[in-house]
mmCIF file of all heavy atoms in Angstrom:
data_model
loop_
_atom_site.group_PDB
_atom_site.id
_atom_site.type_symbol
_atom_site.label_atom_id
_atom_site.label_comp_id
_atom_site.label_asym_id
_atom_site.label_seq_id
_atom_site.Cartn_x
_atom_site.Cartn_y
_atom_site.Cartn_z
ATOM 1 N N TYR A 43 112.739 129.871 39.351
ATOM 2 C CA TYR A 43 112.384 131.103 40.066
ATOM 3 C C TYR A 43 113.096 132.300 39.448
ATOM 4 O O TYR A 43 114.302 132.261 39.180
ATOM 5 C CB TYR A 43 112.756 130.988 41.545
ATOM 6 C CG TYR A 43 111.999 131.967 42.409
ATOM 7 C CD1 TYR A 43 110.820 131.592 43.030
ATOM 8 C CD2 TYR A 43 112.450 133.272 42.569
ATOM 9 C CE1 TYR A 43 110.099 132.491 43.809
ATOM 10 C CE2 TYR A 43 111.739 134.171 43.342
ATOM 11 C CZ TYR A 43 110.565 133.780 43.962
ATOM 12 O OH TYR A 43 109.851 134.677 44.722
ATOM 13 N N LEU A 44 112.319 133.386 39.243
ATOM 14 C CA LEU A 44 112.824 134.602 38.612
ATOM 15 C C LEU A 44 112.659 135.766 39.582
ATOM 16 O O LEU A 44 111.543 136.103 39.963
ATOM 17 C CB LEU A 44 112.056 134.854 37.312
ATOM 18 C CG LEU A 44 112.067 133.641 36.357
ATOM 19 C CD1 LEU A 44 110.993 133.782 35.291
ATOM 20 C CD2 LEU A 44 113.432 133.478 35.712
ATOM 21 N N ARG A 45 113.780 136.367 39.983
ATOM 22 C CA ARG A 45 113.741 137.414 41.008
ATOM 23 C C ARG A 45 113.178 138.714 40.465
ATOM 24 O O ARG A 45 113.065 138.913 39.254
ATOM 25 C CB ARG A 45 115.125 137.643 41.600
ATOM 26 C CG ARG A 45 116.125 138.310 40.690
ATOM 27 C CD ARG A 45 117.326 138.870 41.481
ATOM 28 N NE ARG A 45 118.034 137.866 42.240
ATOM 29 C CZ ARG A 45 118.316 137.991 43.545
ATOM 30 N NH1 ARG A 45 117.922 139.064 44.208
ATOM 31 N NH2 ARG A 45 118.982 137.056 44.185
ATOM 32 N N GLY A 46 112.846 139.630 41.392
ATOM 33 C CA GLY A 46 112.357 140.945 41.025
ATOM 34 C C GLY A 46 113.509 141.867 40.662
ATOM 35 O O GLY A 46 114.511 141.443 40.100
ATOM 36 N N GLY A 47 113.363 143.139 41.020
ATOM 37 C CA GLY A 47 114.417 144.093 40.692
ATOM 38 C C GLY A 47 113.982 145.150 39.703
ATOM 39 O O GLY A 47 114.798 145.961 39.252
ATOM 40 N N SER A 48 112.713 145.142 39.307
ATOM 41 C CA SER A 48 112.135 146.178 38.447
ATOM 42 C C SER A 48 112.825 146.313 37.093
ATOM 43 O O SER A 48 112.810 147.388 36.494
ATOM 44 C CB SER A 48 112.159 147.546 39.170
ATOM 45 O OG SER A 48 111.583 147.463 40.436
ATOM 46 N N PHE A 49 113.454 145.240 36.619
ATOM 47 C CA PHE A 49 114.209 145.248 35.368
ATOM 48 C C PHE A 49 115.371 146.237 35.418
ATOM 49 O O PHE A 49 115.821 146.730 34.380
ATOM 50 C CB PHE A 49 113.308 145.580 34.165
ATOM 51 C CG PHE A 49 112.250 144.553 33.898
ATOM 52 C CD1 PHE A 49 110.909 144.901 33.933
ATOM 53 C CD2 PHE A 49 112.589 143.241 33.615
ATOM 54 C CE1 PHE A 49 109.922 143.951 33.684
ATOM 55 C CE2 PHE A 49 111.614 142.286 33.376
ATOM 56 C CZ PHE A 49 110.282 142.646 33.407
ATOM 57 N N LEU A 50 115.872 146.506 36.613
ATOM 58 C CA LEU A 50 117.000 147.423 36.753
ATOM 59 C C LEU A 50 118.223 146.747 37.350
ATOM 60 O O LEU A 50 119.353 147.138 37.058
ATOM 61 C CB LEU A 50 116.593 148.617 37.641
ATOM 62 C CG LEU A 50 115.480 149.513 37.084
ATOM 63 C CD1 LEU A 50 115.079 150.552 38.122
ATOM 64 C CD2 LEU A 50 115.905 150.187 35.795
ATOM 65 N N ALA A 51 118.011 145.742 38.190
ATOM 66 C CA ALA A 51 119.133 145.056 38.837
ATOM 67 C C ALA A 51 119.779 144.070 37.881
ATOM 68 O O ALA A 51 119.107 143.422 37.078
ATOM 69 C CB ALA A 51 118.648 144.332 40.089
ATOM 70 N N GLU A 52 121.097 143.967 37.943
ATOM 71 C CA GLU A 52 121.828 143.041 37.081
ATOM 72 C C GLU A 52 122.810 142.228 37.903
ATOM 73 O O GLU A 52 123.224 142.624 38.982
ATOM 74 C CB GLU A 52 122.587 143.805 35.989
ATOM 75 C CG GLU A 52 121.702 144.427 34.936
ATOM 76 C CD GLU A 52 122.508 144.949 33.754
ATOM 77 O OE1 GLU A 52 123.438 144.258 33.314
ATOM 78 O OE2 GLU A 52 122.197 146.059 33.287
ATOM 79 N N GLY A 53 123.200 141.083 37.327
ATOM 80 C CA GLY A 53 124.245 140.271 37.921
ATOM 81 C C GLY A 53 123.725 139.180 38.821
ATOM 82 O O GLY A 53 122.691 139.319 39.471
ATOM 83 N N ALA A 54 124.457 138.079 38.836
ATOM 84 C CA ALA A 54 124.119 136.953 39.707
ATOM 85 C C ALA A 54 124.852 137.119 41.041
ATOM 86 O O ALA A 54 125.317 138.198 41.385
ATOM 87 C CB ALA A 54 124.512 135.644 39.019
ATOM 88 N N GLN A 55 124.954 136.032 41.786
ATOM 89 C CA GLN A 55 125.673 136.004 43.057
ATOM 90 C C GLN A 55 125.101 136.999 44.071
ATOM 91 O O GLN A 55 125.810 137.510 44.929
ATOM 92 C CB GLN A 55 127.167 136.293 42.837
ATOM 93 C CG GLN A 55 127.813 135.553 41.691
ATOM 94 C CD GLN A 55 127.714 134.048 41.826
ATOM 95 O OE1 GLN A 55 127.751 133.546 42.931
ATOM 96 N NE2 GLN A 55 127.623 133.331 40.720
ATOM 97 N N ARG A 56 123.798 137.298 43.977
ATOM 98 C CA ARG A 56 123.184 138.208 44.929
ATOM 99 C C ARG A 56 122.581 137.439 46.097
ATOM 100 O O ARG A 56 122.649 136.228 46.168
ATOM 101 C CB ARG A 56 122.133 139.068 44.225
ATOM 102 C CG ARG A 56 122.749 140.154 43.350
ATOM 103 C CD ARG A 56 121.701 140.928 42.599
ATOM 104 N NE ARG A 56 121.211 140.208 41.429
ATOM 105 C CZ ARG A 56 120.112 140.523 40.766
ATOM 106 N NH1 ARG A 56 119.365 141.518 41.177
ATOM 107 N NH2 ARG A 56 119.752 139.836 39.706
ATOM 108 N N GLU A 57 121.991 138.180 47.038
ATOM 109 C CA GLU A 57 121.472 137.573 48.261
ATOM 110 C C GLU A 57 120.401 136.525 47.949
ATOM 111 O O GLU A 57 119.733 136.596 46.930
ATOM 112 C CB GLU A 57 120.883 138.648 49.184
ATOM 113 C CG GLU A 57 119.634 139.337 48.663
ATOM 114 C CD GLU A 57 119.896 140.428 47.643
ATOM 115 O OE1 GLU A 57 121.086 140.693 47.340
ATOM 116 O OE2 GLU A 57 118.924 141.020 47.135
ATOM 117 N N GLU A 58 120.271 135.567 48.849
ATOM 118 C CA GLU A 58 119.254 134.530 48.673
ATOM 119 C C GLU A 58 117.866 135.150 48.733
ATOM 120 O O GLU A 58 117.626 136.134 49.431
ATOM 121 C CB GLU A 58 119.391 133.467 49.768
ATOM 122 C CG GLU A 58 120.672 132.664 49.667
ATOM 123 C CD GLU A 58 120.784 131.622 50.768
ATOM 124 O OE1 GLU A 58 119.928 131.612 51.671
ATOM 125 O OE2 GLU A 58 121.722 130.815 50.712
ATOM 126 N N LEU A 59 116.947 134.566 47.984
ATOM 127 C CA LEU A 59 115.583 135.067 47.911
ATOM 128 C C LEU A 59 114.719 134.377 48.969
ATOM 129 O O LEU A 59 114.653 133.149 49.005
ATOM 130 C CB LEU A 59 115.002 134.815 46.525
ATOM 131 C CG LEU A 59 115.699 135.590 45.399
ATOM 132 C CD1 LEU A 59 115.284 135.033 44.038
ATOM 133 C CD2 LEU A 59 115.368 137.062 45.482
ATOM 134 N N PRO A 60 114.044 135.134 49.830
ATOM 135 C CA PRO A 60 113.260 134.525 50.912
ATOM 136 C C PRO A 60 112.208 133.536 50.421
ATOM 137 O O PRO A 60 112.046 132.462 51.009
ATOM 138 C CB PRO A 60 112.613 135.734 51.599
ATOM 139 C CG PRO A 60 113.562 136.855 51.338
ATOM 140 C CD PRO A 60 114.086 136.619 49.951
ATOM 141 N N VAL A 61 111.477 133.863 49.352
ATOM 142 C CA VAL A 61 110.430 132.960 48.879
ATOM 143 C C VAL A 61 111.041 131.691 48.304
ATOM 144 O O VAL A 61 110.576 130.574 48.575
ATOM 145 C CB VAL A 61 109.534 133.644 47.830
ATOM 146 C CG1 VAL A 61 108.511 132.650 47.280
ATOM 147 C CG2 VAL A 61 108.818 134.841 48.443
ATOM 148 N N ALA A 62 112.097 131.838 47.508
ATOM 149 C CA ALA A 62 112.757 130.666 46.935
ATOM 150 C C ALA A 62 113.277 129.748 48.037
ATOM 151 O O ALA A 62 113.126 128.518 47.980
ATOM 152 C CB ALA A 62 113.902 131.108 46.028
ATOM 153 N N LYS A 63 113.867 130.329 49.060
ATOM 154 C CA LYS A 63 114.404 129.548 50.172
ATOM 155 C C LYS A 63 113.285 128.846 50.933
ATOM 156 O O LYS A 63 113.405 127.658 51.285
ATOM 157 C CB LYS A 63 115.200 130.460 51.108
ATOM 158 C CG LYS A 63 115.954 129.724 52.193
ATOM 159 C CD LYS A 63 116.831 130.692 52.973
ATOM 160 C CE LYS A 63 117.614 129.961 54.065
ATOM 161 N NZ LYS A 63 118.484 130.887 54.839
ATOM 162 N N ALA A 64 112.179 129.555 51.155
ATOM 163 C CA ALA A 64 111.054 128.970 51.893
ATOM 164 C C ALA A 64 110.428 127.816 51.120
ATOM 165 O O ALA A 64 110.086 126.774 51.708
ATOM 166 C CB ALA A 64 110.009 130.041 52.186
ATOM 167 N N LEU A 65 110.276 127.961 49.819
ATOM 168 C CA LEU A 65 109.712 126.878 49.009
ATOM 169 C C LEU A 65 110.614 125.651 49.048
ATOM 170 O O LEU A 65 110.139 124.514 49.100
ATOM 171 C CB LEU A 65 109.514 127.338 47.567
ATOM 172 C CG LEU A 65 108.420 128.389 47.323
ATOM 173 C CD1 LEU A 65 108.407 128.802 45.856
ATOM 174 C CD2 LEU A 65 107.050 127.860 47.734
ATOM 175 N N ALA A 66 111.922 125.884 49.026
ATOM 176 C CA ALA A 66 112.859 124.757 49.101
ATOM 177 C C ALA A 66 112.785 124.078 50.454
ATOM 178 O O ALA A 66 112.841 122.846 50.558
ATOM 179 C CB ALA A 66 114.276 125.245 48.818
ATOM 180 N N GLU A 67 112.652 124.866 51.504
ATOM 181 C CA GLU A 67 112.544 124.290 52.851
ATOM 182 C C GLU A 67 111.267 123.476 53.004
ATOM 183 O O GLU A 67 111.198 122.573 53.842
ATOM 184 C CB GLU A 67 112.604 125.405 53.890
ATOM 185 C CG GLU A 67 113.987 126.017 54.034
ATOM 186 C CD GLU A 67 114.020 127.220 54.953
ATOM 187 O OE1 GLU A 67 112.928 127.787 55.214
ATOM 188 O OE2 GLU A 67 115.118 127.608 55.396
#
Side-chain angles (χ1 to χ4, degrees):
Y43 200 94
L44 306 164
R45 71 163 58 232
S48 308
F49 295 120
L50 296 174
E52 290 190 42
Q55 315 301 326
R56 286 176 281 165
E57 67 280 358
E58 293 180 354
L59 295 167
V61 176
K63 188 174 181 180
L65 291 177
E67 288 174 342

